[in-house]
Amino acid sequence: AWAARGSVLCRARGSIGSVGGCAGVFLGSPASEAAVLGSLVGGSATLATAWITQKTVSKRELIHEEMRKRETLYGEFIAECAKLLVDAFTHTLDKPDTLLPLYALINRLRLSASQPVLVEAEQLLARITDQYFSTPLTLDAMRDLTRARDADPLKSFGEACRVEQSQDLEMTKIL
């Protein structure tokens, strides 16, 4: 138990040898002020470190969650484009609503994708649309197309997505 006696903060001791039953620290002395100040600074530093660490972890988690959402969206876009490309190679556009899911996905991309990813997505949409308004390919023409050097029409989009993802991962390393 602590008790104040004059200008001395005392703790009662039950042991023999304590002077007047009190072992004290003088209030207002440089040693006591330094002790209090040291405790405040130490406690503040611990609190600040914990707050900064939590804030950094939260930012990193948000970035990873956003990356997962975009990766799912990009996968949906690639699947839809692949389906429509094969259809466009073999058919003309009979029903314009065939392209609606692709337009919906591009507009969802506009909400979160980087500019390079959007540019590639829009070029892919243009290629699909142009193919629908071209004459359908024969099986021989499709075989020749698959053997061509730039056979994969989705490659540029996928590469743009990978660059964006790499940049996001680098950002999480900085945090």
Side-chain angles (χ1 to χ4, degrees):
W2 291 89
R5 288 191 185 165
S7 63
V8 178
L9 185 61
C10 298
R11 189 174 76 160
R13 287 194 176 183
S15 62
I16 300 174
S18 60
V19 178
C22 179
V25 176
F26 290 98
L27 297 178
S29 72
S32 65
E33 290 175 2
V36 171
L37 185 60
S39 294
L40 286 174
V41 169
S44 298
T46 301
L47 181 64
T49 302
W51 179 75
I52 290 170
T53 301
Q54 183 60 40
K55 188 174 178 181
T56 302
V57 168
S58 296
K59 280 184 182 180
R60 205 174 283 143
E61 288 172 354
L62 285 173
I63 291 170
H64 282 291
E65 181 62 29
E66 181 64 27
M67 287 173 60
R68 281 188 289 277
K69 286 180 184 177
R70 276 187 278 152
E71 188 174 339
T72 300
L73 178 59
Y74 296 167
E76 290 175 30
F77 182 78
I78 289 169
E80 188 66 27
C81 285
K83 182 181 84 170
L84 290 176
L85 268 169
V86 170
D87 188 57
F89 287 148
T90 57
H91 300 92
T92 57
L93 187 63
D94 297 327
K95 297 184 271 177
D97 61 338
T98 302
L99 294 174
L100 283 178
L102 190 56
Y103 275 100
L105 285 169
I106 282 183
N107 281 297
R108 286 177 53 202
L109 286 175
R110 285 188 177 104
L111 296 174
S112 61
S114 66
Q115 190 61 35
V117 170
L118 282 175
V119 166
E120 293 299 330
E122 289 170 348
Q123 288 177 354
L124 198 49
L125 173 63
R127 181 169 180 178
I128 292 168
T129 304
D130 290 346
Q131 186 62 47
Y132 266 122
F133 289 104
S134 300
T135 57
L137 299 178
T138 63
L139 287 178
D140 289 334
M142 286 180 69
R143 183 184 64 238
D144 292 342
L145 182 65
T146 60
R147 292 181 179 167
R149 185 169 186 227
D150 295 328
D152 186 359
L154 301 170
K155 184 177 180 180
S156 295
F157 177 77
E159 288 173 347
C161 293
R162 188 176 61 243
V163 167
E164 180 184 80
Q165 185 179 36
S166 295
Q167 291 170 346
D168 288 346
L169 286 173
E170 285 299 316
M171 185 185 303
T172 62
K173 290 177 185 175
I174 292 170
L175 293 177

